Amino acid sequence: MSQNKALRVVLATSNAGKVRELADPLTQFGVEVVGLSSYPEIGEIEENGTTFEENALIKARAVAAVTGLVSVADDSGLEVDALDNAPGVYSARYADDWESQPGESRDARNIRKLLHETASVPTEGRGCRFVSCMAAVRPDGKEMVVRGTWEGQLLATPRGDNGFGYDPIVYLPEYGKTSAELDPEEKNRISHRGKALRRIREVL
Ligand code: ITT
């Protein structure tokens, strides 16, 4: 592998929110970041693992195999104490069994279902955490996976417009804000994804 090629990383995600949070810090680290849109032949990767680690490796392996480049994948989600850690690995697909309201995004439908399912949970039982497992796979087969977590409290009403996914309903008591009220740099400094990213960067 040439030195140039070793510093080129394909981000194995089609989630625009994750791309926003991962591309800049990796670029600042001197890595050339390539998006999945450069490889339309990869198509949808089936995430049939039962843990975040398994799914992150499934995505990173598939992309490294096709591209011949180092691949980084993030599998992440929200664990809610009162729901025995659901939606967990199913966070992206959580409300796919619910009908969308007119103009409602997938993220907004997920939030609507989660707030419905936790409507009767009192404040003291509303603990939750974001989890990000990040896998890096090299074309020579070397791989690693790391985990970052971020504890919060589930709100009953969404707040804030930044971020993506469940950000508007996850409250960080020590900041007095939801994850969607943090600016992107602040979120990256303290989030599950920021922590996992800093760990994986050390091995790239
Ligand atoms: P890729 O597999 O293409 O990366 P995806 O959205 O399907 O995209 P996941 O299977 O890892 O990715 O699902 C992650 C879901 O967890 C995501 O869609 C959000 O609903 C939620 N999530 C993860 N990180 C989050 C964050 O930082 N803020 C809010 N929600 C987050």
Side-chain angles (χ1 to χ4, degrees):
M1 204 186 310
S2 79
Q3 219 174 3
N4 229 359
K5 220 175 166 188
L7 292 175
R8 264 180 116 191
V9 167
V10 194
L11 275 188
T13 178
S14 42
N15 179 318
K18 291 186 191 177
V19 172
R20 279 198 302 274
E21 292 180 14
L22 294 173
D24 270 0
L26 282 170
T27 307
Q28 281 161 23
F29 189 63
V31 167
E32 184 191 340
V33 177
V34 185
L36 265 195
S37 53
S38 311
Y39 300 93
E41 68 274 25
I42 292 177
E44 185 130 340
I45 301 165
E46 200 194 344
E47 296 175 36
N48 51 13
T50 55
T51 63
F52 294 112
E53 280 85 357
E54 274 172 17
N55 281 337
L57 281 168
I58 287 169
K59 291 186 269 193
R61 282 178 190 145
V63 171
V66 172
T67 62
L69 295 174
V70 179
S71 163
V72 168
D74 160 290
D75 199 69
S76 47
L78 183 68
E79 294 181 341
V80 175
D81 293 343
L83 300 178
D84 286 333
N85 287 345
V89 290
Y90 304 106
S91 293
R93 312 163 242 175
Y94 181 54
D96 282 3
D97 58 343
W98 277 39
E99 212 163 295
S100 277
Q101 293 174 343
E104 188 180 43
S105 67
R106 199 185 193 200
D107 283 349
R109 190 180 56 186
N110 282 338
I111 286 179
R112 186 160 57 88
K113 178 174 177 183
L114 190 55
L115 292 184
H116 174 84
E117 300 296 336
T118 54
S120 61
V121 179
T123 312
E124 61 274 17
R126 298 183 74 86
C128 63
R129 78 206 45 80
F130 280 122
V131 178
S132 163
C133 285
M134 211 167 280
V137 173
R138 293 192 345 189
D140 65 6
K142 257 225 169 97
E143 52 188 43
M144 78 161 309
V145 59
V146 297
R147 175 179 277 237
T149 60
W150 195 28
E151 300 288 331
Q153 289 282 322
L154 206 58
L155 287 189
T157 314
R159 275 172 41 181
D161 300 312
N162 297 335
F164 68 100
Y166 298 92
D167 281 334
I169 53 169
V170 176
Y171 180 72
L172 297 322
E174 67 272 38
Y175 294 87
K177 291 177 180 178
T178 67
S179 179
E181 292 174 318
L182 296 175
D183 67 50
E185 291 76 28
E186 208 173 9
K187 181 181 172 191
N188 251 338
R189 254 199 318 276
I190 55 179
S191 75
H192 53 316
R193 184 163 297 103
K195 290 173 191 160
L197 182 65
R198 285 188 287 280
R199 285 179 194 140
I200 212 90
R201 255 185 357 190
E202 288 166 20
V203 297
L204 282 179

